[in-house]
Amino acid sequence: MFKSRLLKNIVICIMFVFIFSGSSMMSYADEVREKEPNDTMETAELIMANHDSAAQAVSGKHEDENVVYGDTSKTDTDWYKVYLTAGTQYVICNGDSYRFDVYDSNGNFITGQVYKKAPLGSTAHPFTATTDGMYYVKITGIMSSSTSYILLVGDPVYTVASCKVNLTTVTMANNRNGLSTFNISTENVLPDGAIVYMMAVRNVRNLDVTNISVRNLSSNNTVNLDKYSWNKSGLVNLNMPLKSNWSITYEYKKDVSFTPSIELYYAYPVVSTYVQDDIEITP
């Protein structure tokens, strides 16, 4: 199996442990355990805004995630206050089902709903912070008995996934390079905001070409793939958008035809729920 697939699986495993195991996440994020009394807006517990990035998702070390663990019930409300900048922010929910409500510093209601426990991973609920300042989040259980919850407020969390793009046949002859182009900028199955951190071209034999380079037209970055394995990792800092126009150049070595594909591994912000992984696309 290609080494990037293994790395991707390792990253996913680390994130799974991070989300669901409090004892293992101390080295990856700031963890806050609910402290009573926090039953009113006046006694709201101060927490830090969540921050995450594509690079942190790839490394598996979410140093800037700020995670709150607590317990609640129908008769137990927990209040938190957090400083947020103006713009789109998220209440990121995990754990057992619960209700959240968001208020501004004047106690004006902004948004609220019941989060229903997801089978895997967090669910992000967007809202608009109209100004920089303190915002309040109230957590209320939906069960009479005590249940556990996980809460993040601020930026969305990032996770990793991949897609395979099937390309048309390339015919190389007369000492001329081959070219593949594809546009996945409007593919609805792919998440917005995704950044490519690894790639691999498939179905090109080692001795058919002398070099393969991949260009991302949105960022104007060109990546030369490692010879003969035709893959490249360590690309996250290039900030190449997944949803973009792409081109692949195959440098001539001999007259040959092949039907290539490219695997793109990416990190993306979970702005609602997780998207399907290992997507196959034929533009």
Side-chain angles (χ1 to χ4, degrees):
M1 187 69 70
F2 175 51
K3 63 182 179 181
S4 65
R5 175 75 63 176
L6 176 61
L7 175 59
K8 176 193 162 192
N9 290 339
I10 291 172
V11 170
I12 291 173
C13 289
I14 291 172
M15 293 185 66
F16 185 87
V17 172
F18 165 78
I19 290 295
F20 290 100
S21 174
S23 61
S24 63
M25 63 183 292
M26 288 297 291
S27 62
Y28 299 112
D30 182 40
E31 174 187 330
V32 173
R33 294 282 177 176
E34 173 210 353
K35 295 179 181 178
E36 297 284 356
N38 62 348
D39 298 330
T40 65
M41 186 174 180
E42 291 70 26
T43 60
E45 183 177 353
L46 178 64
I47 61 173
M48 299 296 294
N50 181 66
H51 297 292
D52 201 1
S53 68
Q56 291 186 50
V58 173
S59 71
K61 295 182 178 180
H62 297 252
E63 298 96 336
D64 296 322
E65 281 194 352
N66 292 284
V67 186
V68 178
Y69 290 89
D71 299 291
T72 189
S73 68
K74 282 185 176 181
T75 57
D76 175 30
T77 58
D78 296 333
W79 284 79
Y80 299 94
K81 57 184 178 182
V82 55
Y83 186 89
L84 301 173
T85 57
T88 302
Q89 301 287 345
Y90 296 85
V91 176
I92 302 153
C93 304
N94 211 324
D96 295 325
S97 301
Y98 58 90
R99 179 179 177 84
F100 69 85
D101 295 286
V102 180
Y103 301 85
D104 65 17
S105 59
N106 295 316
N108 298 312
F109 176 79
I110 297 176
T111 187
Q113 67 182 82
V114 172
Y115 156 71
K116 294 184 179 180
K117 184 176 181 178
L120 176 63
S122 58
T123 302
H125 303 274
F127 68 95
T128 300
T130 55
T131 61
D132 296 356
M134 201 68 74
Y135 290 81
Y136 293 78
V137 181
K138 180 177 70 171
I139 302 298
T140 308
I142 61 175
M143 303 290 291
S144 298
S145 57
S146 179
T147 56
S148 300
Y149 62 85
I150 302 173
L151 171 72
L152 304 90
V153 184
D155 293 339
V157 298
Y158 277 73
T159 190
V160 295
S162 67
C163 68
K164 175 183 177 183
V165 182
N166 297 313
L167 304 170
T168 57
T169 298
V170 175
T171 299
M172 301 177 66
N174 303 320
N175 205 32
R176 300 175 71 91
N177 292 340
L179 182 69
S180 295
T181 61
F182 61 98
N183 183 0
I184 53 175
S185 60
T186 60
E187 290 287 347
N188 292 330
V189 294
L190 299 176
D192 294 332
I195 300 298
V196 172
Y197 69 89
M198 215 176 283
M199 61 177 65
V201 168
R202 302 299 192 194
N203 302 326
V204 181
R205 291 180 297 183
N206 292 350
L207 301 179
D208 282 352
V209 299
T210 59
N211 186 62
I212 299 178
S213 60
V214 181
R215 184 183 176 202
N216 178 275
L217 276 68
S218 294
S219 63
N220 201 30
N221 281 308
T222 299
V223 176
N224 290 310
L225 303 187
D226 294 337
K227 285 186 180 297
Y228 310 127
S229 63
W230 307 131
N231 62 72
K232 194 71 172 181
S233 60
L235 306 176
V236 67
N237 290 328
L238 295 180
N239 291 314
M240 294 187 294
L242 171 68
K243 298 178 74 169
S244 173
N245 277 301
W246 296 80
S247 66
I248 306 173
T249 300
Y250 314 89
E251 294 185 12
Y252 178 88
K253 185 172 185 180
K254 63 181 180 180
D255 292 0
V256 67
S257 292
F258 50 83
T259 305
S261 64
I262 185 169
E263 295 176 358
L264 298 171
Y265 298 80
Y266 55 89
Y268 70 95
V270 184
V271 296
S272 56
T273 58
Y274 288 77
V275 302
Q276 180 183 346
D277 192 7
D278 296 322
I279 298 168
E280 187 166 337
I281 299 169
T282 303

